[in-house]
Amino acid sequence: MPLPLYLLALAVFAMGTSEFMLAGLLPDIASELDVTVGTAGVLTSAFAIGMIVGAPLVAALARDWPRRSSLLGFILAFTAAHAVGAVTTSFPVLFATRVVAALANAGFLAVALTAAATLVSPDKKGRALAVLLSGTTMATIAGVPGGSVLGTLLGWRAAFWAVAALCLPAALGILKGIPTGRAQEEATAGPALRAELAQLARPRLILVMLLGALVNAATFASFTFLAPVVTDTAGLDELWISVVLVLFGAGSFVGVTVAGRLSDQRPGLVIAVGGPLLLLGWPVLAMLADKPVALFALVFVQGALSFALGSTLITRVLYEAIEAPTMAGSYATAALNVGAAAGPLIAAATLSTTAGTHGPLWASGLLVAVALLIAFPLRTAIEAGRSTEVLR
């Protein structure tokens, strides 16, 4: 694989780290900017909102943009947003930088997915995309806990500077390794944009997008507020936050890997087995969160189940949107980020109730329950339309 591809993956790693790292930084941000932890959690929703708007919008606009200048512009905007966020003392400004960073992230991914395939021979496109998207997985395993450790040792602003610094070699790689040119050939060879947007009227596509949003809302509802669970409920030192985030990230890697072997041909099995287990796990975690050993084990399990179920549903989105080849990824991204925006907002509202720091965990269980109540009567529709050709 060519070096520029790995540098693009580095940018995806930095962007994924930025999206998820606030889970370990919220208490410090809230304290320094004089807001509640629940209010600080809205920063995660701000990033998700930017991704929701940016994914379909920029995917449509970037169908025939010059690749190199587009990628460079997006990554520089992302870097600048983090630099401003690292120095601001205003929560509204920090909120705005999260939206800008998310828009840049969405734009970068929309172009990078096409650009990555042009860097290799046609028979290696799948490997190229796997390398690119591995940046997101590595962000949950290494980037997020690393940002948490850096924030604990040097303050949350240092984590923002670190993300900005990670983007600089990627920007250099784009200048040196990405050829100039447009993505117009790919866009004009496929269906018209109006035809791709019309796919959103298909009931099965709407169904799997809704389920993906609900499961991801459950995931982010608890993931965003794991830090106070570790320090307040379990009574552990702040450095243990990083351990818990690593365990969640490792679980997510296992979940995606295992589900990847089943989600193409047996999505119903993943949902039928993983769904009830995920539903059971959140209230059990809420009841045992004050016991560190149980907390560590259950966080790993819930990370695995959340991402197994979530990745399976996203695979279904791609299957159902086969007639929208340039927009399918944006539909999946938008669905996931609707959940990522809604989950922390719902969880934040529970913090002021008698449930306290357990509230987000109970909220996650409720969201999964709603998803399962919708999914099981319609599981035949979810499984319909399988094809091994779709994702080639």
Side-chain angles (χ1 to χ4, degrees), residues 16-34:
T17 298
S18 174
E19 182 174 7
F20 303 133
M21 70 180 182
L22 292 189
L25 304 177
L26 286 182
D28 289 343
I29 292 175
S31 176
E32 184 170 336
L33 299 185
D34 195 26

Side-chain angles (χ1 to χ4, degrees), residues 57-149:
L57 176 62
V58 181
L61 294 176
R63 283 159 61 94
D64 59 353
W65 284 5
R67 289 196 185 98
R68 186 167 69 182
S69 59
S70 297
L71 288 169
L72 186 61
F74 287 133
I75 201 168
L76 290 179
F78 185 85
T79 303
H82 282 74
V84 173
V87 300
T88 187
T89 57
S90 167
F91 184 79
V93 171
L94 183 59
F95 181 94
T97 66
R98 297 304 289 169
V99 176
V100 171
L103 288 170
N105 187 357
F108 184 88
L109 285 175
V111 181
L113 287 169
T114 301
T118 67
L119 295 174
V120 297
S121 58
D123 61 326
K124 295 182 179 179
K125 287 184 178 182
R127 287 181 59 193
L129 295 181
V131 169
L132 179 68
L133 296 178
S134 68
T136 300
T137 304
M138 291 306 300
T140 62
I141 297 173
V144 174
S148 178
V149 170

Side-chain angles (χ1 to χ4, degrees), residues 220-287:
F220 270 79
S222 290
F223 180 79
T224 302
F225 296 103
L226 278 178
V229 171
V230 173
T231 56
D232 297 345
T233 305
L236 298 173
D237 188 83
E238 285 188 356
L239 287 175
W240 285 99
I241 295 173
S242 301
V243 174
V244 169
L245 294 178
V246 167
L247 288 171
F248 190 93
S252 70
F253 178 79
V254 171
V256 168
T257 301
V258 173
R261 300 177 182 275
L262 297 172
S263 59
D264 286 333
Q265 300 301 321
R266 305 293 299 277
L269 177 63
V270 177
I271 294 171
V273 176
L277 290 176
L278 182 63
L279 172 60
L280 178 64
W282 288 124
V284 171
L285 178 55
M287 291 185 288

Side-chain angles (χ1 to χ4, degrees), residues 164-186:
L166 281 173
C167 293
L168 297 180
L172 181 61
I174 291 169
L175 282 174
K176 298 294 184 180
I178 302 298
T180 57
R182 295 178 179 271
Q184 190 171 13
E185 292 182 6
E186 289 86 346

Side-chain angles (χ1 to χ4, degrees), residues 306-327:
S306 294
F307 276 78
L309 199 59
S311 64
T312 297
L313 290 169
I314 289 308
T315 300
R316 301 316 308 164
V317 172
L318 297 178
Y319 275 131
E320 295 300 334
I322 185 175
E323 300 299 329
T326 67
M327 296 295 293

